[in-house]
Amino acid sequence: MIQIAFASGKGGAGKTSISLSFHKYIGEKSILIDTDVDAADAFLLLESQNLESKPFVSGWKYRILEKNCVSCGKCISICSFGAIKRDKNSQNITINPLFCEGCGACEDVCPFDAITKKENYCGDYFISSTKINTTMVYARLTPGEDNSGKLVHLVRKKGIEIFKKLIQPNGYIIIDSPPGIGCPLMAAISGVNYLVLIIEATESGFHDAKRVVEVAKQLKLPTLSIINKSGLSESLDSEILLFLKEFNIPLVGVIPFNGEFNNILNKEMFWIDSENSEIRNNLISIFSNIVNYIEK
């Protein structure tokens, strides 16, 4: 089992399109896990049928039991998040679920058992069949929830379980990572066999990619790289190449900027299925380089 994660550090760098095309290139010996739980979009192109969906619960939400509450205010004073308020007119105490962080301090200090809790529903995860006869796993986090790292961990765990049931040991788990360098990314790439860094050849894209490299170094992840949207700035392209050389990150391919890529997506096609043979052959060459590097 080879776990390979595609990451970029920012949205719009081409990470999802490239990882989906790589998934199609590998084919039935792979599954895809979309770990961008805040804005999952791989299913829009890949999914053919949802096979299973289950709720994701994490932490607790608290509320006041009015019949037990004597409005002593101890819970108000202990809450560090301003979630508990007293109504000026009725003097009733309520907990705002949007501000509640689920720490449970209010329940601990209440002497009248006037605070109760329930599991916090945070979103859903999905297992689906795909248009290319493979399986994908993804999730959607409820807007405003902050348990994205836990949900990413769950999605990866489910993906590994499915992989072990469906695919021979030498297959691929392909992970489409979330943007940024926070907890969701750490949960998505920790322990993978290889990280493929998609570097968008823009100032912001290069800046964010360098941050991902720092994370990869801390996690000691073998890293390969692809430069996307090359040709917009020769000086920046050269700077990226020098950076990769300095940090000893192999470059497996370069994708020149081409407006045709948006047209491919508008047709709901994979980049690797482009009618433009130059685009198609370049991607095939890049993916072949990745496989050769991993399996050598």
Side-chain angles (χ1 to χ4, degrees):
M1 178 177 67
I2 300 171
Q3 295 191 62
I4 178 169
F6 289 77
S8 62
K10 70 180 290 292
K15 168 184 56 62
T16 297
S17 295
I18 292 171
S19 60
L20 287 179
S21 283
F22 182 73
H23 178 46
K24 184 170 186 185
Y25 175 81
I26 298 297
E28 295 183 6
K29 60 184 289 189
S30 66
I31 68 168
L32 185 124
I33 305 175
D34 184 351
T35 59
D36 188 0
V37 299
D38 289 291
D41 57 1
F43 75 96
L44 295 172
L45 179 61
L46 191 60
E47 185 178 57
S48 66
Q49 181 182 2
N50 176 248
L51 303 176
E52 179 182 336
S53 62
K54 290 188 177 180
F56 167 64
V57 294
S58 179
W60 304 94
K61 288 294 184 183
Y62 292 79
R63 67 180 182 88
I64 304 292
L65 293 174
E66 292 184 7
K67 64 179 182 179
N68 294 352
C69 180
V70 299
S71 298
C72 68
K74 287 187 177 181
C75 56
I76 297 176
S77 61
I78 198 66
C79 182
S80 300
F81 307 101
I84 308 177
K85 301 290 184 181
R86 187 194 305 274
D87 185 89
K88 293 181 180 179
N89 298 319
S90 67
Q91 296 300 303
N92 289 337
I93 294 176
T94 58
I95 301 176
N96 187 330
L98 295 178
F99 294 157
C100 178
E101 292 291 327
C103 68
C106 56
E107 183 184 34
D108 291 340
V109 301
C110 180
F112 303 102
D113 293 325
I115 297 177
T116 187
K117 65 185 178 183
K118 66 176 181 178
E119 286 186 312
N120 182 34
Y121 166 74
C122 300
D124 301 275
Y125 71 87
F126 306 87
I127 300 170
S128 300
S129 59
T130 75
K131 297 175 182 177
I132 57 174
N133 297 317
T134 61
T135 301
M136 73 174 299
V137 185
Y138 67 99
R140 295 197 199 101
L141 188 72
T142 302
E145 294 292 343
D146 60 357
N147 292 298
S148 53
K150 292 181 180 179
L151 184 51
V152 170
H153 175 76
L154 174 63
V155 168
R156 279 191 65 188
K157 180 180 178 182
K158 292 297 179 182
I160 292 172
E161 290 175 358
I162 292 169
F163 177 92
K164 290 180 177 179
K165 292 178 182 178
L166 299 179
I167 302 174
Q168 63 265 37
N170 63 341
Y172 285 72
I173 293 177
I174 299 168
I175 299 170
D176 181 20
S177 304
I181 59 168
C183 181
L185 178 72
M186 298 288 282
I189 68 176
S190 295
V192 301
N193 301 101
Y194 289 91
L195 177 71
V196 178
L197 178 64
I198 311 300
I199 306 175
E200 181 187 85
T202 63
E203 292 290 350
S204 61
F206 185 31
H207 173 270
D208 290 345
K210 287 191 285 187
R211 298 168 68 201
V212 176
V213 169
E214 294 176 4
V215 174
K217 284 173 62 67
Q218 292 177 6
L219 297 176
K220 298 181 180 179
L221 299 179
T223 303
L224 308 174
S225 64
I226 298 171
I227 300 175
N228 189 29
K229 302 181 184 178
S230 175
L232 296 173
S233 167
E234 291 185 10
S235 60
L236 183 58
D237 287 350
S238 298
E239 187 178 348
I240 293 172
L241 290 174
L242 288 173
F243 172 82
L244 295 175
K245 183 176 181 180
E246 177 184 354
F247 285 87
N248 195 30
I249 300 173
L251 177 66
V252 294
V254 175
I255 303 174
F257 177 79
N258 190 329
E260 178 63 23
F261 285 108
N262 285 332
N263 295 331
I264 298 170
L265 293 178
N266 289 336
K267 296 176 182 177
E268 299 184 357
M269 296 171 58
F270 297 90
W271 279 7
I272 199 172
D273 291 334
S274 171
E275 297 168 356
N276 184 319
S277 60
E278 186 175 347
I279 290 176
R280 185 174 63 252
N281 292 336
N282 184 38
L283 288 171
I284 291 173
S285 175
I286 291 172
F287 298 155
S288 176
N289 289 339
I290 293 174
V291 172
N292 289 338
Y293 191 93
I294 291 173
E295 297 185 355
K296 67 180 179 181

